[in-house]
Amino acid sequence: MSHGKAWGKPISPKSVDLSVRIGSLKLRNPVLTASGTFGYGDEYAHVVDLELLGGVVTKTVTVLPRAGNAPTRIAETASGMLNSIGLENVGLKRFRSEKLPRLRELKATVIASIGGETEDELAELLAALGNEDGVGAFEINFSCPNVAAGGARYWASPARLEATMKRLRTLSARPLIAKLSPDVTDIRETSRACEAGGADALTAVNTFVGMSIDLDRMRSRLGKATGGLSGPAIKPLALSRCHEASHAVSIPVIGSGGMSTARDALEFIAAGATAVQIGTATFVEPGASVRVVNEMREFLAAKGIKRVEDFRGLFAAPAAQALVLENALEKP
C-alpha cells in the first residue's frame, strides 16, 4: 500500500518563496550556519556570499575571552566528528569592536550566539549587545557539551531555563533563540520551559555527548574524555528531537544536526522545523549552506510547492508510531 503524497505540477525555481520568520526577524531563506562551524562569519566571506544565506549564527561569545580546551580538539568518527573546542572565542569586548563592524559591512543577517556559566553572565552579555546594530537575533547557548561550567548539564533544569529566559527577555526586544541539548530525559520539558520564559524560538539540537578511545595509547582521542558528536551520524537522532520539540511548543523550532543536503534539511522542515542550521558539512565543503539553499528551491519547485512554509510540518507520524513514541517517552 502506497503512502506517497501527490504533488503539484512543477514550477520555476525562481518563483519559490523561501522566506521564513523567527519572531520579528524575517529571513530570506530558512538556511542558517550553525554556531562554532562558521567562525564569526567574516572568515568565510571570501568563499561564501553571506547575503545568500538566511543568516549566520556566530561562534559563541562569552564575557571574557576563552582559550578553549587543550588539544586534541577534533577527532573523526564513523560518519561524524567529535569536538572539544571549549567555547574558544575573542570575548565580548573584541566581538563588539572587531567582529560586528565587519559583519555589518558584509550585510549578513547575524544571529549572535552567547554563552555563560551563570544567569548573570548571560544577562551581562545581552545587556551589552541587546540593542547593537547589525544583530538580528540572539541564540542562547544552553547546551555546550564540552565545558565544565555553564554547559549542557547545568542548563538541563527546566526551572533554571525558564527563570533565566524570563530575566533575559527583559534585556532585548530582539528575538531570543534557546539552543537546547539533546542529552536530556525529555526535550519537550526543556522546550516548554524556554517557551514559558519568553523564548521566541528554539534550536534543536546541539551536539550529543560522545567519546572515542585510542586503544594503542589507551587514551581519549580528544584532549578530554568526551566531546560533542556531530555530522551525518546524529541526523536521525537530531531529527527525532526536533520533531518532539516542534510538537511541544507553538514557537518556531530551528532544526540542527547532521544535515548536508537539501533533502536532509527538508526532512527537518517536514517534521516541523521553521529553519535549519548547516554545521559540520561546512568543514568538508565551505559553501555547503549556499548549495543547500539552491537545492531546496529546486526540490520544492519540482514538487510544485510555491512556499517553503507550505512544506513545514507536512509529515504526520502514523498513529501507531506516535503512540509507541509517546509511551517510550512517558516510561520512568
Side-chain angles (χ1 to χ4, degrees), residues 139-156:
E139 184 176 78
I140 319 300
N141 189 348
F142 287 129
S143 49
C144 183
N146 52 40
V147 292
R153 290 180 180 174
Y154 178 80
W155 294 112

Side-chain angles (χ1 to χ4, degrees), residues 291-325:
R291 173 178 53 75
V292 168
V293 173
N294 294 331
E295 289 177 350
M296 184 179 291
R297 184 176 282 109
E298 291 172 0
F299 179 95
L300 294 174
K303 302 295 187 184
I305 297 172
K306 297 180 180 179
R307 300 168 62 246
V308 69
E309 272 292 298
D310 295 334
F311 196 82
R312 180 162 61 90
L314 281 184
F315 170 76
Q321 292 182 21
L323 182 60
V324 169
L325 177 61

Side-chain angles (χ1 to χ4, degrees), residues 235-250:
K235 181 197 153 194
L237 298 168
L239 180 61
S240 174
R241 303 300 195 280
C242 178
H243 181 253
E244 292 168 32
S246 65
H247 285 73
V249 297
S250 59

